[in-house]
Amino acid sequence: MAERVEVLLTEEEVDKRIQEIGDQISKDYAGKQVHLVCVLKGGSFFMCELAKRISVPVSLDFMSVSSYGGDTKSSGVVKIVKDLDEPLGGKHVLVVEDIVDSGRTLSYLLEMLKDRGPADVKLCTLLDKPERRVVDVKVDYTGFQIPDEFVVGYGLDYDQRYRNLPYIGVVKFDE
Ligand code: IMP
Ligand code: MG
């Protein structure tokens, strides 16, 4: 089955919105250090762009969980593939994700991180598909709410491809 990608959000739109979120985070965390936790691999492009636009002190860590195979449907299985390097005790943790879809990955992850004694844990996602939510998740910072379509680019993949697109596109499948 052939596929093509149609632009949903341009590079300029995404960059402008990341700047706005960075400004908001800098205000909200004034006087504090924010500890960004990137959920690999999808969150990595967003996290780097966001971190550059935050003006309070920033530290970073990475973790990897799996919930999707080479398909567009959630398996519902959440597994830690790579854990954080640093403990979270006393830190102002901000989880940075590419997209919240069913919410299964994030609800599991947030509970796990809260058990590690951080000062607080918040969630920042570039994209949100609210129509698809199965598990309730509180999102503190959202880039864009998007319709229920499979998107790629800016870190998001289809079967590991398209992560490097500098914009958000919708994958269309031609019969
Ligand atoms: P959730 O647990 O269903 O919220 O799934 C979240 C994860 O599924 C995201 O971090 C992505 O890795 C993946 N995902 C969900 N929707 C899409 C999409 O439209 N394109 C690419 N990956 C997606
Ligand atoms: Mg992800």
Side-chain angles (χ1 to χ4, degrees):
M1 201 163 49
E3 86 243 9
R4 64 204 155 75
V5 178
E6 283 175 8
V7 178
L8 179 67
L9 298 162
T10 65
E11 185 172 4
E12 289 71 26
E13 287 173 311
V14 176
D15 287 351
K16 181 169 171 279
R17 185 68 189 124
I18 295 177
Q19 180 67 56
E20 289 169 3
I21 298 173
D23 290 343
Q24 188 62 50
I25 289 170
S26 303
K27 266 189 214 148
D28 295 350
Y29 287 85
K32 297 175 187 161
Q33 173 165 322
V34 60
H35 188 64
L36 302 182
V37 167
C38 173
V39 185
L40 294 169
K41 301 168 188 166
S44 59
F45 286 69
F46 176 41
M47 149 108 116
C48 292
E49 293 305 316
L50 182 65
K52 289 194 283 182
R53 293 166 173 90
I54 296 174
S55 57
V56 296
V58 168
S59 51
L60 311 170
D61 207 345
F62 298 85
M63 70 186 307
S64 182
V65 296
S66 72
S67 59
Y68 274 67
D71 200 350
T72 58
K73 293 272 189 305
S74 175
S75 64
V77 178
V78 180
K79 189 177 91 184
I80 296 185
V81 178
K82 181 220 174 292
D83 206 342
L84 298 170
D85 292 335
E86 310 279 338
L88 297 181
K91 292 178 182 164
H92 300 286
V93 174
L94 182 59
V95 176
V96 181
E97 251 288 25
D98 50 1
I99 189 164
V100 183
D101 186 32
S102 71
R104 285 192 186 98
T105 313
L106 266 302
S107 72
Y108 173 87
L109 198 68
L110 292 172
E111 287 315 307
M112 195 195 71
L113 298 180
K114 280 175 192 163
D115 283 345
R116 297 185 185 188
D120 44 63
V121 180
K122 289 188 175 180
L123 172 62
C124 178
T125 185
L126 179 59
L127 304 174
D128 185 4
K129 287 195 230 176
E131 285 169 49
R132 298 255 312 164
R133 202 72 91 254
V134 174
V135 181
D136 199 30
V137 177
K138 180 174 179 283
V139 184
D140 300 282
Y141 303 96
T142 304
F144 301 91
Q145 292 200 338
I146 59 166
D148 178 13
E149 294 199 83
F150 195 80
V151 290
V152 292
Y154 233 96
L156 290 140
D157 73 303
Y158 172 59
D159 212 2
Q160 297 304 326
R161 285 176 297 132
Y162 304 118
R163 290 191 197 275
N164 59 315
L165 296 180
Y167 55 87
I168 302 292
V170 176
V171 183
K172 298 283 183 187
F173 300 94
D174 301 319
E175 292 302 322

